[in-house]
Amino acid sequence: MKLVEERLKLISPLLEKQIEQENIPGAVVAAGIGRDTHYLAAFGYAENQNRVARKMEIDTLFDLASLTKVVATLPAILSLIDDGEIRLNDPVQLFIPEFPDTAKPAVTIRHLLTHTAGLAPHRKFYQLFDSQAQIRTALRQEAPIREPGAHTEYSDISFLLLGEIVQAVSGKPLEGFVRERIFSPLNMAKTMFCPPASLYEKIAATEHGKVGVVHDENANALGGVAGHAGLFAPVADLMAYIAMWLGHTPLLSEAVRKLAVQNQTAGLAGNRGLGWVCRHDPYDHAGDLWPETTVGHTGFTGTSIAFDPASGLWLIILTNAVHYGREKKAIIRLRGLLHNLVGSAIVMG
């Protein structure tokens, strides 16, 4: 245990140097194994521009960006599978009749979850259309640009469509469904879309001093709620969420959790579970030392989570890395360094 503590102490000077170099304004980091938290600390600033300097706190809320995919939309879809409402091989058109049926094979929920639907990675809907209704119409008519099931390519559009499917199947907006079925049972009381102005002082600022307003332009144009981005949360709620995936809190069935963390896309130029990034995928951020059974995900704003279902190892990194501008890319290397420190300390220690 002493060796673990000594190695984890190296996190502090690493982050302090990154903050001093203005690669990031601040961070909250939590790491552990199973139910045990071995490290939890806050660094730097939640906001540090235009003569405003707000200290980062352990309970600061972050714009999770694409962590929304795996913290909201993924468990919503998996819960509908558990409930017998949908199947992975159900075609998207079954739930979204406007979705084009020209693709062969047909695009399925499995394709959307594994980023193998052949859909474009991104569309600037917020520039192309003037209203939420227009964006949703265009989204629901989005056609694949390559053969479904043939290649892994990360796509925001896939998870935007999954958010639409949650609403179509459940009859409830995505926001209401995940609050009722995921966040409330896990006591994730501070996890939310569209945080009220009364919480802005508790939220880390993103680019251009944006506070409490989702950084992703498409999610913002959709009113702040979308299947691919829009969620805000503090580290404690994400710790509760990972605990569920490690089997400490009953919510999703063991069967669906095990399936979700298995590589579904071997040989397709990527390693993806259902929603999750597996080891050695191009988007794998878990460094050099983590077990082969590790899965995780990142968010463009500077957030990430990773956990290993086999050993119980987990790490949450929350930064507002775009605060000084989205061209800052130091967070990519920093994630790997932090995972190496935690892997060295807890797995090897």
Side-chain angles (χ1 to χ4, degrees), residues 5 63 66 123-124 126 155-156 208 266-267 269 285 290 292 301:
E5 293 175 353
D63 178 341
S66 282
R123 295 265 189 235
K124 293 184 178 181
Y126 66 96
S155 173
D156 279 352
H208 307 308
H285 70 283
W290 279 51
E292 291 296 297
T301 50

Side-chain angles (χ1 to χ4, degrees), residues 220-233:
N220 189 38
L222 286 167
V225 181
H228 73 301
L231 206 61
F232 289 76

Side-chain angles (χ1 to χ4, degrees), residues 173-195:
L174 177 65
E175 178 182 17
F177 185 83
V178 295
R179 187 189 316 116
E180 176 186 326
R181 295 292 302 274
I182 310 300
F183 304 150
S184 292
L186 294 177
N187 294 318
M188 296 169 63
K190 294 182 179 180
T191 300
M192 67 191 77
F193 293 95
C194 305

Side-chain angles (χ1 to χ4, degrees), residues 45-272:
Y45 300 95
E47 186 171 3
N48 190 34
Q49 281 185 334
N50 302 322
R51 299 183 181 179
V52 176
R54 284 192 291 120
K55 185 181 177 183
M56 191 73 78
E57 305 287 352
I58 292 293
D59 60 350
T60 296
L61 278 73
F62 287 80
D63 178 341
L64 297 185
S66 282
L67 288 192
T68 302
K69 293 179 174 73
V70 292
V71 178
T73 309
L74 172 63
I77 290 290
L78 297 181
S79 69
L80 291 172
I81 293 173
D82 269 343
D83 291 348
E85 296 282 353
I86 60 175
R87 305 176 309 150
L88 286 174
N89 290 334
D90 279 340
V92 172
Q93 197 184 48
L94 181 63
F95 311 106
I96 303 177
E98 311 95 301
F99 189 77
D101 64 354
T102 54
K104 299 292 184 279
V107 177
T108 66
I109 289 175
R110 185 191 301 272
H111 289 139
L112 297 182
L113 284 170
T114 56
H115 296 280
T116 58
L119 292 163
H122 183 69
R123 295 265 189 235
K124 293 184 178 181
F125 292 119
Y126 66 96
Q127 290 183 348
L128 298 171
F129 303 101
D130 297 325
S131 70
Q132 292 184 36
Q134 290 176 332
I135 293 174
R136 291 187 189 283
T137 296
L139 169 65
R140 294 164 75 93
Q141 296 175 351
E142 182 77 23
I145 60 175
R146 64 196 315 171
E147 179 187 349
H151 184 80
T152 304
E153 185 169 15
Y154 185 74
S155 173
D156 279 352
I157 295 173
S158 288
F159 272 76
L160 277 159
L161 286 167
L162 286 167
E164 295 289 304
I165 290 171
V166 170
Q167 180 164 340
V169 174
S170 70
K172 299 176 181 179
L174 177 65
E175 178 182 17
F177 185 83
V178 295
R179 187 189 316 116
E180 176 186 326
R181 295 292 302 274
I182 310 300
F183 304 150
S184 292
L186 294 177
N187 294 318
M188 296 169 63
K190 294 182 179 180
T191 300
M192 67 191 77
F193 293 95
C194 305
S198 60
L199 290 179
Y200 284 8
E201 285 297 312
K202 300 294 295 181
I203 299 174
T206 55
E207 195 173 13
H208 307 308
K210 195 179 285 187
V211 176
V213 178
V214 60
H215 182 265
D216 182 274
E217 292 90 349
N218 279 336
N220 189 38
L222 286 167
V225 181
H228 73 301
L231 206 61
F232 289 76
V235 70
D237 283 13
L238 295 178
M239 292 164 69
Y241 184 65
I242 290 177
M244 182 273 292
W245 278 96
L246 295 178
H248 304 316
T249 310
L251 185 69
L252 300 175
S253 71
E254 182 180 4
V256 82
R257 285 188 285 107
K258 284 185 175 181
L259 181 63
V261 299
Q262 294 172 4
N263 185 5
Q264 308 279 325
T265 64
L268 299 181
N271 294 318
R272 292 274 169 170

Side-chain angles (χ1 to χ4, degrees), residues 1-56:
M1 181 60 71
K2 185 175 181 181
L3 177 60
V4 171
E5 293 175 353
E6 288 300 315
R7 293 194 179 190
L8 289 177
K9 284 181 181 178
L10 297 174
I11 292 174
S12 179
L14 172 60
L15 286 173
E16 288 169 356
K17 183 177 180 180
Q18 294 288 313
I19 292 166
E20 181 182 348
Q21 293 175 343
E22 294 193 344
N23 289 324
I24 57 172
V28 176
V29 176
I33 191 162
R35 296 178 183 272
D36 296 327
T37 300
H38 289 283
Y39 192 87
L40 177 59
F43 300 87
Y45 300 95
E47 186 171 3
N48 190 34
Q49 281 185 334
N50 302 322
R51 299 183 181 179
V52 176
R54 284 192 291 120
K55 185 181 177 183
M56 191 73 78

